[in-house]
Amino acid sequence: MSSLLSRYFALTDRLGRADWLLSTLARFLFAAVLLVYFLNSGLTKLGEGLAGLFVPSAGAYAQIFPKAFEAAGYDTDALSVFHQIVVVAGTWAEFILPAAIVLGLFTRLAALGMIGFVVLQSLTDIYGHGQTDALGAWFDRFPDALVLDQRGLWVLLLLVLVVKGAGPLSFDRALRGGTGRV
C-alpha cells in the first residue's frame, strides 16, 4: 500500500507543478466553447457599414436595454448618452475581450472583464428579458440551467485565467520576455 501511495503522490506532485497546463487548456477551452458565441453575439449588435462600430443596430439596444428601449418607443435617439455608451462599449467588449483571451494578451484583465460581462449578461437575461426560468438552481439534479449552471462554469473557466494567467503560449509571456509567470 505504501508503494501505491508513493506512486500516487509522485504523480500528483508532478501535475501540481504543471501550471502551464491549466492555463493553456483554459484558453483553448474558452476558444473552443465560447469564442464564436461571443463573436456572433457581437456581430448582431453592429450597425451598417464601418460606422456600425460606433452606431450599433437597434437590436443591440433591444438586447442590452430591453425595457428602456421599449419605454423609448424603440427609438434609439430617445435613449440617453449613457445608454449609447454602454451599448457601444458592450459591443466592442464582445470582440476585444474574447480575442485578448485567445491571444493571451492582458489575459487576467480580459478574463476579469469577461466575468463582469457574463454577470451583466445574466442579469439582463433575468431582469431585462424576464427569463426567470433560465435561472435554474444549484444543488438540484438538473445540470443545464442557462444562468446558474452554464454561466457558473463559464465564470470558473475565466477565474482560472484570472488566477493562473495565460500560460507559456501567449503574448503575455512574450511581453515579459519569455520568462516568469504570466
Side-chain angles (χ1 to χ4, degrees), residues 9 33 53 76 100 106 125 140 179:
F9 289 127
V33 175
L53 290 170
T76 57
F106 305 114
D125 286 344
D140 63 1
T179 63

Side-chain angles (χ1 to χ4, degrees), residues 48-97:
E48 293 293 321
L50 189 57
L53 290 170
F54 303 98
V55 183
S57 68
Y61 291 91
Q63 290 177 53
I64 297 173
F65 290 111
K67 290 183 178 180
F69 194 45
E70 181 181 9
Y74 300 103
D75 178 11
T76 57
D77 293 331
L79 294 171
S80 71
V81 172
F82 168 78
H83 290 100
Q84 294 169 358
I85 290 171
V86 169
V87 169
V88 169
T91 301
W92 288 8
E94 284 194 284
F95 295 107
I96 294 169
L97 295 175

Side-chain angles (χ1 to χ4, degrees), residues 124-145:
T124 300
D125 286 344
I126 293 166
Y127 296 109
H129 296 287
Q131 293 182 345
T132 54
D133 58 326
L135 181 61
W138 281 338
F139 308 107
D140 63 1
R141 63 180 189 187
F142 305 107
D144 59 351

